[in-house]
Amino acid sequence: MIEISNIEKSFDGNQVLKGISCTLETGKCNLLLGGSGTGKSVLLSCIVGLMKPDIGSITFDGTMFTNSKVDIRQEIRRKIGMLFQGSALFDSMTVAKNVEFPLEMLTPEMTPEERRDRVEFCLKRVGLENAGNKMPSEISGGMKKRVGIARAIAPNCTYLFCDEPNSGLDPATSIKIDELIQEITHEYNITTTIITHDMNSVVGIGDHIIFLHKGKKLWDGDKEHILNAEVPELREFIFSSSLVRAAKRVEQEDGPAGLQHLAAEPLSEV
Amino acid sequence: MLSRSERFKVLWRRFFEEATNIGVNSLFVVGLVAVFIGAVTCVQIAYNLTNPLIPKSTIGYMVREMTVLEMAPTLTSIVLAGKVGSSIAGGLGTMRITEQISALEVMGINSSSYLVLPRILASMFMFPLLVILAMALAIIGGYLAGTLTGNITPQDYIEGIRSDFVPYNILFALIKAVVFAFIISGVSAFKGFYTEGGALEVGTASTDAVTNSIIAILIADFVLAAVLL
Ligand SMILES: Nc1ncnc2c1ncn2[C@@H]1O[C@H](COP(=O)(O)OP(=O)(O)OP(=O)(O)O)[C@@H](O)[C@H]1O
Ligand SMILES: [Mg+2]
């Protein structure tokens, strides 16, 4: 569990985060939801330690992260896996080397054979057992995200962070990636935090949703309750999605049964 | 995270990778430039030395002095500023804007000691070696040009090369190479590492790295000559 209390962050007088407090729960997909420029990426950077918040504190399972000594921060960082928006694969290394890299750097006690097994296992877990020898420039965007996930989970991470894991992907691939993240989260009981503005992800994997608006947390809850939330900004955000509008229309015209038409066919392998 | 010896092992491996990279990639262009510099210097000195009272071997002597002291270290470094400097700035800039540097940081890896330090150390190690190569090739280039054009006999050229040799000049040239290497890799790494924005800014960072390095080299060249000679 990650507890965030009263985080504030400004960039030369422009206050981006205005006192955010929330809890990211273990074994769940925690979604940070909000429009562009609401400070989601800045909040994530503060949580993983790429930026330092001006005020506020962050604790990982009871261990203070902000303002702690270097070795305590390093210890926590070893448990953090992160999937970046553009995947951020090291483009001078093969896919397998990318996945092996954190193992090589962070767990020197592993033997090369153990590392190779782990790489194989992680690539298999994300469905890329045959892509190990490819270079990042030779694989598709969806595959890059998968490699990014494999690299993030390779050192047995306890905390997984994903910045817009499905931006730039087609809807079917997005859902595949979402499902993969959700499965991994439940399977290994990790604390997963996902930035998104995609309503598909919200209703698909939103175990715990935190809605941010203009640097403030306005709502949090799960996917069962989000459609009935009474926060005007959140309602506006949700119902600006044309898919949701279409669903509403179908529901009004045909009753709930009409929604069946909109349900996706079973997805084939991406 | 890593113990001291493991950290050293990683640094050593990265140093080795970068040094190979710089050395292998620059060998051809440095060699080519050096041969032509030697050749042109020789032909032009021969053209200017028409006084029959001055022995022909002076041509060889002057080619050596000019290439060893100035041409080999400075021109090689300027060529390398274009080649190595732009590759350092472009490489680090791309890593920055594609969040590869953030990815290292999140893993708890100190990105400047992983990415920047090996590049600087490798440059400071490889530049003097490339400059030694350039000196040799420039003198050979002068020999070829001088003898093939019939401006000087092989015996005269070699006699000139061997006369009044001051070993300190070699040391001075190598000191220059190390200083220039530090300037180029430092300036370029700085420009690349702190790139902000997108692909356009990476291009700008590369260009800035090369122009700023060259200006700094020229100033440092003057300062070193004034201080050390
Ligand atoms: N390094 C920075 N320096 C100055 N301002 C910044 C910096 N990073 C972010 N900001 C500002 O913080 C605000 C929030 O940015 P952020 O990237 O967190 O938005 P976001 O919610 O992630 O949006 P998106 O969904 O488009 O990614 C923006 O107005 C941006 O200008
Ligand atoms: Mg963002």
Side-chain angles (χ1 to χ4, degrees):
Chain A
M1 191 169 72
I2 304 171
E3 277 168 286
I4 295 153
S5 74
N6 202 26
I7 293 285
E8 291 186 19
K9 177 81 188 168
S10 313
F11 295 102
D12 359 272
N14 164 27
Q15 196 174 18
V16 176
L17 302 181
K18 300 170 184 160
I20 292 187
S21 302
C22 57
T23 310
L24 305 171
E25 295 165 14
T26 305
K28 290 187 176 176
C29 290
N30 299 276
L31 265 48
L32 293 176
L33 181 68
S36 257
T38 48
K40 304 183 297 293
S41 296
V42 172
L43 178 61
L44 198 70
S45 299
C46 289
I47 300 175
V48 301
L50 289 172
M51 282 179 192
K52 206 173 167 329
D54 301 334
I55 312 179
S57 67
I58 296 159
T59 55
F60 285 74
D61 290 316
T63 313
M64 180 72 120
F65 183 58
T66 35
N67 302 318
S68 286
K69 284 222 251 357
V70 176
D71 40 334
I72 295 177
R73 289 169 66 90
Q74 291 290 18
E75 202 46 51
I76 293 176
R77 277 182 159 171
R78 279 182 68 150
K79 301 186 200 157
I80 294 180
M82 182 153 175
L83 170 64
F84 285 84
Q85 195 164 348
S87 301
L89 301 182
F90 302 119
D91 41 32
S92 57
M93 303 177 191
T94 62
V95 164
K97 276 275 165 215
N98 261 284
V99 180
E100 192 180 351
F101 183 80
L103 299 174
E104 211 176 352
M105 299 301 288
L106 303 176
T107 50
E109 64 275 9
M110 274 176 111
T111 65
E113 290 75 45
E114 286 171 336
R115 284 208 302 263
R116 216 165 312 132
D117 290 348
R118 180 76 189 154
V119 169
E120 212 169 287
F121 173 82
C122 292
L123 282 178
K124 205 170 167 148
R125 185 65 195 81
V126 299
L128 286 178
E129 50 271 48
N130 297 322
N133 291 324
K134 294 216 166 79
M135 295 304 281
S137 56
E138 298 167 348
I139 59 179
S140 72
M143 286 162 88
K144 280 186 193 158
K145 300 271 179 183
R146 285 164 188 267
V147 179
I149 295 172
R151 183 176 71 180
I153 62 170
N156 272 321
C157 70
T158 342
Y159 313 104
L160 177 63
F161 297 91
C162 307
D163 192 347
E164 300 189 20
N166 40 28
S167 68
L169 299 179
D170 65 89
T173 313
S174 298
I175 291 175
K176 283 270 162 204
I177 296 284
D178 279 350
E179 283 171 353
L180 177 62
I181 295 173
Q182 188 183 36
E183 280 166 27
I184 288 173
T185 303
H186 294 166
E187 197 174 321
Y188 305 112
N189 199 35
I190 46 188
T191 311
T192 300
T193 308
I194 304 166
I195 292 187
T196 187
H197 27 214
D198 184 358
M199 282 310 291
N200 286 322
S201 306
V202 171
V203 294
I205 59 169
D207 300 328
H208 178 212
I209 300 155
I210 295 157
F211 177 69
L212 300 180
H213 184 74
K214 294 194 175 157
K216 287 200 162 133
K217 182 187 90 174
L218 292 188
W219 185 84
D220 73 332
D222 61 21
K223 63 184 174 194
E224 315 297 335
H225 296 101
I226 192 165
L227 294 176
N228 303 322
E230 292 299 333
V231 179
E233 289 87 351
L234 178 56
R235 294 192 70 79
E236 194 187 335
F237 183 88
I238 297 171
F239 295 108
S240 64
S241 155
S242 42
L243 200 65
V244 177
R245 278 210 304 271
K248 265 253 180 275
R249 204 171 51 238
V250 174
E251 193 180 21
Q252 277 159 8
E253 287 167 5
D254 307 349
L259 277 175
Q260 299 300 325
H261 301 309
L262 285 171
E265 294 288 306
L267 290 163
S268 53
E269 206 43 56
V270 178
Chain B
M1 171 188 60
L2 291 180
S3 72
R4 182 176 290 263
S5 70
E6 276 143 5
R7 229 178 286 164
F8 185 77
K9 223 168 77 187
V10 172
L11 179 64
W12 171 247
R13 202 194 63 215
R14 292 278 304 118
F15 167 81
F16 197 76
E17 284 168 7
E18 294 296 339
T20 324
N21 208 355
I22 293 171
V24 172
N25 288 340
S26 315
L27 217 49
F28 177 72
V29 65
V30 166
L32 190 74
V33 168
V35 170
F36 274 91
I37 286 173
V40 172
T41 311
C42 181
V43 171
Q44 294 201 348
I45 290 173
Y47 170 74
N48 281 297
L49 273 189
T50 47
N51 189 335
L53 292 179
I54 301 176
K56 280 281 185 194
S57 64
T58 311
I59 299 173
Y61 170 78
M62 286 182 72
V63 168
R64 188 197 74 208
E65 288 300 286
M66 284 187 67
T67 52
V68 166
L69 260 185
E70 183 61 21
M71 300 292 201
T74 310
L75 276 181
T76 302
S77 296
I78 286 178
V79 169
L80 289 177
K83 192 143 179 75
V84 176
S86 64
S87 120
I88 290 179
L92 291 178
T94 307
M95 291 191 78
R96 167 67 74 191
I97 64 155
T98 56
E99 297 182 302
Q100 293 176 50
I101 293 182
S102 302
L104 287 173
E105 293 281 339
V106 168
M107 288 175 200
I109 295 163
N110 183 334
S111 55
S112 50
S113 60
Y114 184 80
L115 296 173
V116 176
L117 190 63
R119 283 174 163 85
I120 293 183
L121 293 180
S123 303
M124 290 170 74
F125 178 74
M126 289 311 286
F127 273 41
L129 299 184
L130 289 166
V131 165
I132 290 173
L133 177 81
M135 288 173 183
L137 288 176
I139 287 173
I140 293 173
Y143 174 88
L144 291 177
T147 53
L148 290 179
T149 57
N151 277 315
I152 185 170
T153 61
Q155 292 77 15
D156 281 345
Y157 187 82
I158 290 169
E159 190 195 326
I161 294 291
R162 298 179 63 171
S163 63
D164 298 322
F165 177 60
V166 186
Y168 177 74
N169 286 352
I170 303 268
L171 178 67
F172 175 68
L174 296 184
I175 292 173
K176 289 212 306 196
V178 173
V179 173
F180 295 164
F182 180 73
I183 289 174
I184 292 171
S185 52
V187 168
S188 308
F190 179 83
K191 284 281 173 196
F193 199 76
Y194 293 105
T195 304
E196 267 174 27
L200 194 63
E201 282 77 9
V202 175
T204 317
S206 277
T207 318
D208 285 357
V210 176
T211 35
N212 292 357
S213 303
I214 291 178
I215 294 170
I217 287 174
L218 295 174
I219 295 172
D221 192 25
F222 175 75
V223 172
L224 285 175
V227 173
L228 292 180
L229 284 186

